[in-house]
Amino acid sequence: MDNNSPELEPVVSDQTNGSLADWSNAPKLSDLKADLENARPSHEAATSKIKVWDDSRTIAGNAVKKFRKGQSTITPRLIQKQAEWRIPALSEPFQSSPDLFKVSPVGWEDVKGAQQNELVLNNQFSTVIDRVALVDEFTQELVYKGTAILRTGWDYQTRKAVKQEPIYEYQQDPSLAQTYQQMAQIDQTNPVSLLAYPQELQDGYNIFKEQQLSLRLTLVGMQNVEYDKVIRNCPTVEVCNVNNIFVDPACAGKIEKASFVIYSFETSTAELKASGLYSNLEKINVSNSSPLTAENFQSNSSDPNFQPSGEPRKRIVAYEYWGYWDIDNSGVLTPIVATWTDGGVMIRMEENPYPHGRPPFVTCQYRAVNKTIYGEPDAELLKENQEIIGAVMRGALDLLGKSANSQTGFQKGLLDSTNKQRFADGEDYEYNPNTSPVSGIHQHEYPAIPASVQYMLAAMNTDAESLTGVKAFTGSAGMSGDSLGTTAAGVRGALDASSKREMAILRRMMQAFVTVGRQIIAMNAVWLNEQEVVRITDEQFVPVRRDDLSGDFDLKLTISTPEQDEAKAQELAMMLQTMAADMDQGMKNLILSNIARLRKMPDLAHQIENYQPQPDPVQEQMQQLQMQLLQSQINLNNSQAQENGGKAILAQSKVGTEQARASQMQAKTDNDNLNFLQTQNGVKHQQQMELEQARGDNQLASQALKQQGTMDQIRQQHNLGLLANHASTTLNHESQLKQMHAQASLQPKQTTGSNQ
């Protein structure tokens, strides 16, 4: 890891025991080498298999085989042929998409951070990391050796530089407060637009943002200032040689659970000094060092014995230990990193500087093997097939090579020397009459190759294809009209089975890159510059702050196979074909852009998404006239509707009258019908008779009533007469009595005197 940042500086101590870290329980070099020795048996068992696979695949490995003298030495390249078809199928899905990562937030509060992380990651894998070379090397290592190991790191490089900075005079100016507030609003929405303001206002805004002071800055001069210019500040991803990685055998196939990982690499004292991470470099003896002589190391150089001139450039081997150690006797393991050279000089020891706190290694298996980090390539399955094909081919070539093809034999005495020369020159010749040229001249030819040779070759190639799922282009047994099946269902089944096997490998590759992305996200949140500007399009720039990169995210890898993309494109094309008549133009453009993106035409997809059709003036005028006509029709319909509404109200008001009239008419009709029925059935006559009888009865009753009234009147008159007579009689009698009493009251004295 090349990094000069302060976060990664080692802690150096002056302890007499030679430890570089100020720990109470620092590990010794012997302790670290003991872990290396403990991991060696399992490592050598895996690397020995890898050597066998490489020897079976390469010409150099096949050249060491021993063949009998005079026999063919050809060796078929079955393993390499299968790998050549497998590698593009696995690497192309990672290269086809312009954006490799899709970052999704876990919660709503992480939405902004997820968007920023996605921009940063895709930009880093498009610009600072050579994604094409990385994916190709990673895929080749995986296909050839069955295991690929990625190592993440951080590259931080600076150099001294001089720049001119302005010298200002500061003056309090409250009138600029509104301008600075407007710039603050722009800073929240589109910070890049602040670059359009003069430098004086930008610097004044920075002061306003920090100290809330409205100052007017007046430029009075310029000054040269020396500073550390950042040349590189970005993550790194490299593919490690599997032979140089030693992993804890007890990790059960999960490198994240390994208690240590040791990585041997080739370097020089100049590179170690330039990184700024190492100490004790003066103790390294490079006079007799050579990477080839280092134990547990396989050089990646084409010439391992090459040594540049000059001690700073001499190639040496260093061992980097990533693991966990109880550094303070507390019983708690702390992630550490330690580095020593092949000569036994400890040059680095510190706590693991990575924010994620784990060894920076990610493993991937081609064909998963349980409980081990090492996988198996196709060479493990194809070794026997390749050897059988080689034996059959060498036998066929030996059969052809030992024949005297195109040689001509003559029977002795058939031709003399003169005619033999004429025969050789292609001229007419004479032969002796004792023997015919038909039987005296023999033309040698290659012998016929037995049919069993073709059968064995076809059988081995077919078996190899069934083992790997890779369909080879091998003559009659290769790609043809019936090579995948005689029916569409059979062809689809064969392609589905092959694509599923590829997707199983792709998922493991995707998981490896997802883990790499997570580690880079953790490093970006700590070591990225305060503000990184990421280019999204040719017009838009989005600034990314380091504080926005923290959070919890679901990292996804947007890869797909060409077969899947083609199937999706065909489905969208069918959808567009069936629904285009009733579909909005915007929806059409959306589907067309997706089809273009699936067909790997991002420029066309962008043009379709942003396409705005230019209106035809004639068509536009016709549309305006049509709009006017429609408006007129709408106004006419509205007026008619209003008129109909008024008529409806009038009709509604007449509803009662019409209902009463209808009831009256209905009643009259019912009455007429009733009269007709009564007349027809005699009811009317019966009623008439009953009416006449009722009238007669009424008349009789009336006459009787009148007579009774007359009788009653006569009786009353008689009674009244009697009463009147009685009353008059009574009155007369009473009046007579009164008169008599009156007379009597006048006569008593006379009566008394006479009596005397």
Side-chain angles (χ1 to χ4, degrees):
M1 178 179 58
D2 297 331
N3 198 317
N4 296 334
S5 62
E7 293 88 349
L8 297 181
E9 289 290 343
V11 180
V12 181
S13 175
D14 295 331
Q15 292 181 348
T16 57
N17 59 4
S19 175
L20 300 179
D22 189 11
W23 300 335
S24 60
N25 186 30
K28 299 179 181 179
L29 181 58
S30 58
D31 298 330
L32 304 182
K33 286 187 175 182
D35 287 342
L36 178 63
E37 294 299 323
N38 293 332
R40 180 180 297 178
S42 61
H43 176 265
E44 290 181 350
T47 54
S48 61
K49 292 182 180 180
I50 293 175
K51 187 178 186 305
V52 173
W53 298 331
D54 282 339
D55 291 343
S56 300
R57 178 182 57 84
T58 60
I59 297 178
N62 293 323
V64 301
K65 295 182 179 180
K66 296 181 179 180
F67 300 99
R68 288 186 296 177
K69 186 177 181 180
Q71 290 186 340
S72 173
T73 60
I74 187 173
T75 300
R77 305 294 300 280
L78 176 64
I79 298 175
Q80 183 65 34
K81 177 177 62 177
Q82 294 277 335
E84 288 298 323
W85 287 103
R86 179 72 81 185
I87 290 173
L90 297 179
S91 62
E92 181 60 24
F94 292 89
Q95 311 284 16
S96 59
S97 178
D99 292 336
L100 186 62
F101 292 98
K102 174 65 177 177
V103 183
S104 302
V106 174
W108 63 268
E109 67 277 3
D110 297 325
V111 172
K112 184 178 179 181
Q115 295 173 352
Q116 303 289 16
N117 271 287
E118 183 176 340
L119 295 175
V120 172
L121 272 180
N122 290 321
N123 176 71
Q124 289 172 338
F125 272 84
S126 299
T127 56
V128 299
I129 297 176
D130 190 352
R131 186 173 70 176
V132 175
L134 174 65
V135 172
D136 288 343
E137 186 179 0
F138 174 73
T139 308
Q140 291 177 9
E141 190 82 2
L142 187 65
V143 173
Y144 291 158
K145 299 182 179 180
T147 306
I149 301 179
L150 296 173
R151 181 177 185 270
T152 58
W154 194 270
D155 187 8
Y156 183 81
Q157 299 178 14
T158 61
R159 64 177 177 85
K160 295 295 183 179
V162 177
K163 65 178 180 180
Q164 286 189 335
E165 288 188 352
I167 302 175
Y168 295 114
E169 286 185 354
Y170 301 93
Q171 184 179 1
Q172 187 75 24
D173 190 353
S175 62
L176 290 176
Q178 184 177 1
T179 303
Y180 291 150
Q181 291 176 358
Q182 294 176 355
M183 295 176 69
Q185 295 177 357
I186 296 175
D187 191 14
Q188 296 295 327
T189 57
N190 189 11
V192 179
S193 300
L194 294 177
L195 300 177
Y197 285 86
Q199 187 64 40
E200 294 83 353
L201 285 178
Q202 295 182 34
D203 296 338
Y205 168 69
N206 292 330
I207 298 175
F208 175 80
K209 184 168 57 175
E210 295 176 359
Q211 305 178 11
Q212 299 298 317
L213 295 177
S214 300
L215 301 178
R216 179 178 295 277
L217 278 60
T218 304
L219 181 64
V220 296
M222 302 293 293
Q223 63 179 350
N224 294 330
V225 178
E226 185 178 4
Y227 72 104
D228 292 331
K229 183 178 181 180
V230 178
I231 302 175
R232 287 181 63 84
N233 184 35
C234 60
T236 60
V237 183
E238 62 174 324
V239 180
C240 301
N241 191 334
V242 180
N243 296 276
N244 298 331
I245 299 289
F246 299 83
V247 184
D248 179 14
C251 68
K254 298 183 181 296
I255 196 171
E256 60 272 11
K257 294 184 178 180
S259 59
F260 66 89
V261 178
I262 302 175
Y263 173 53
S264 58
F265 61 97
E266 188 176 346
T267 184
S268 66
T269 56
E271 294 177 359
L272 295 174
K273 184 177 181 180
S275 66
L277 298 175
Y278 304 99
S279 304
N280 295 336
L281 300 181
E282 68 280 357
K283 299 180 181 180
I284 300 176
N285 185 8
V286 298
S287 58
N288 297 322
S289 298
S290 174
L292 186 64
T293 62
E295 188 179 10
N296 303 320
F297 177 75
Q298 181 178 355
S299 177
N300 296 324
S301 175
S302 58
D303 185 7
N305 293 319
F306 172 74
Q307 279 286 19
S309 60
E311 289 191 358
R313 298 195 303 161
K314 289 282 187 180
R315 310 306 295 171
I316 61 175
V317 176
Y319 296 88
E320 199 171 55
Y321 181 96
W322 298 87
Y324 302 88
W325 197 267
D326 182 11
I327 61 176
D328 53 3
N329 288 319
S330 63
V332 179
L333 298 179
T334 302
I336 66 168
V337 56
T339 307
W340 70 91
T341 63
D342 186 45
V345 179
M346 185 72 72
I347 59 177
R348 182 187 184 191
M349 183 178 294
E350 61 175 315
E351 294 186 15
N352 189 332
Y354 288 105
H356 48 75
R358 297 187 299 271
F361 298 98
V362 179
T363 61
C364 181
Q365 296 176 328
Y366 181 81
R367 183 177 296 105
V369 179
N370 194 23
K371 301 302 180 182
T372 178
I373 66 168
Y374 300 101
E376 291 182 350
D378 289 336
E380 177 67 20
L381 304 176
L382 302 178
K383 287 188 301 181
E384 294 180 354
N385 297 72
Q386 180 170 284
E387 292 175 358
I388 294 174
I389 292 175
V392 173
M393 291 180 64
R394 285 191 294 271
L397 291 176
D398 289 340
L399 177 63
L400 299 177
K402 292 180 180 180
S403 66
N405 185 52
S406 73
Q407 292 184 6
T408 305
F410 298 91
Q411 184 179 353
K412 289 184 178 182
L414 177 64
L415 299 174
D416 55 26
S417 60
T418 303
N419 286 290
K420 188 174 183 180
Q421 183 62 40
R422 293 171 63 85
F423 176 83
D425 294 339
E427 299 177 357
D428 294 338
Y429 62 93
E430 295 178 353
Y431 60 91
N432 294 327
N434 296 330
T435 305
S436 172
V438 176
S439 59
I441 301 176
H442 179 71
Q443 188 75 28
H444 291 272
E445 298 177 354
Y446 281 126
I449 298 177
S452 59
V453 173
Q454 295 295 333
Y455 171 77
M456 287 299 296
L457 292 178
M460 291 299 103
N461 282 316
T462 303
D463 185 56
E465 293 169 2
S466 65
L467 287 173
T468 62
V470 177
K471 192 66 179 176
F473 292 79
T474 54
S476 60
M479 297 299 290
S480 62
D482 297 333
S483 60
L484 295 174
T486 57
T487 62
V491 173
R492 183 168 58 252
L495 291 177
D496 289 344
S498 178
S499 62
K500 287 179 182 177
R501 298 179 72 170
E502 286 186 359
M503 280 305 301
I505 304 172
L506 280 173
R507 285 192 184 95
R508 289 188 285 272
M509 298 174 65
M510 290 167 53
Q511 184 60 36
F513 273 93
V514 166
T515 305
V516 168
R518 291 185 182 279
Q519 292 185 3
I520 293 178
I521 285 178
M523 292 186 289
N524 285 339
V526 177
W527 296 327
L528 199 64
N529 284 344
E530 183 64 22
Q531 187 175 16
E532 293 283 347
V533 179
V534 181
R535 182 171 62 87
I536 297 179
T537 64
D538 292 338
E539 297 86 10
Q540 183 181 4
F541 289 83
V542 176
V544 179
R545 295 185 61 83
R546 191 175 63 187
D547 297 340
D548 298 332
L549 299 178
S550 59
D552 296 330
F553 310 104
D554 287 336
L555 193 61
K556 301 176 183 178
L557 205 59
T558 57
I559 70 169
S560 60
T561 61
E563 292 79 9
Q564 291 177 337
D565 290 344
E566 182 63 25
K568 292 179 182 178
Q570 290 181 358
E571 291 178 0
L572 291 175
M574 180 62 67
M575 183 189 302
L576 184 64
Q577 182 178 358
T578 55
M579 302 175 60
D582 301 329
M583 189 179 295
D584 181 69
Q585 185 63 37
M587 185 63 69
K588 291 180 183 178
N589 292 344
L590 179 61
I591 296 178
L592 286 173
S593 64
N594 288 330
I595 293 175
R597 189 173 289 105
L598 291 171
R599 296 283 172 80
K600 305 302 180 292
M601 295 182 287
D603 295 340
L604 179 60
H606 179 72
Q607 293 175 1
I608 293 175
E609 290 175 351
N610 299 322
Y611 175 72
Q612 296 293 338
Q614 299 297 327
D616 184 8
V618 177
Q619 187 69 22
E620 189 175 7
Q621 186 176 3
M622 290 180 61
Q623 291 179 356
Q624 292 178 357
L625 294 176
Q626 289 178 355
M627 290 296 296
Q628 293 177 2
L629 177 61
L630 292 174
Q631 188 65 41
S632 301
Q633 293 177 352
I634 291 173
N635 294 334
L636 177 61
N637 292 334
N638 290 335
S639 62
Q640 292 177 352
Q642 292 177 357
E643 181 180 358
N644 293 334
K647 292 180 179 180
I649 295 174
L650 179 61
Q652 187 68 26
S653 63
K654 294 181 179 180
V655 169
T657 304
E658 295 297 327
Q659 288 179 349
R661 185 180 298 174
S663 299
Q664 183 180 3
M665 293 176 65
Q666 184 66 34
K668 185 177 181 302
T669 301
D670 294 340
N671 189 25
D672 293 341
N673 293 333
L674 181 62
N675 291 333
F676 175 77
L677 291 175
Q678 291 177 351
T679 304
Q680 186 71 20
N681 296 330
V683 175
K684 193 73 173 176
H685 178 68
Q686 183 68 26
Q687 290 179 350
Q688 188 68 26
M689 292 179 65
E690 292 177 353
L691 181 61
E692 293 293 337
Q693 184 177 359
R695 288 178 180 176
D697 294 339
N698 291 332
Q699 290 178 357
L700 292 175
S702 177
Q703 292 177 0
L705 183 61
K706 289 181 179 181
Q707 292 177 0
Q708 183 65 31
T710 302
M711 293 297 294
D712 291 339
Q713 185 177 7
I714 293 173
R715 188 178 296 111
Q716 290 177 358
Q717 291 178 356
H718 175 71
N719 292 333
L720 289 174
L722 292 177
L723 291 174
N725 293 327
H726 177 70
S728 62
T729 301
T730 300
L731 291 173
N732 293 328
H733 179 68
E734 289 179 355
S735 62
Q736 291 176 5
L737 289 176
K738 289 179 179 181
Q739 292 176 1
M740 291 177 66
H741 284 298
Q743 293 176 2
S745 60
L746 295 176
Q747 294 178 1
K749 296 178 175 183
Q750 297 175 0
T751 303
T752 304
S754 61
N755 291 332
Q756 294 176 354

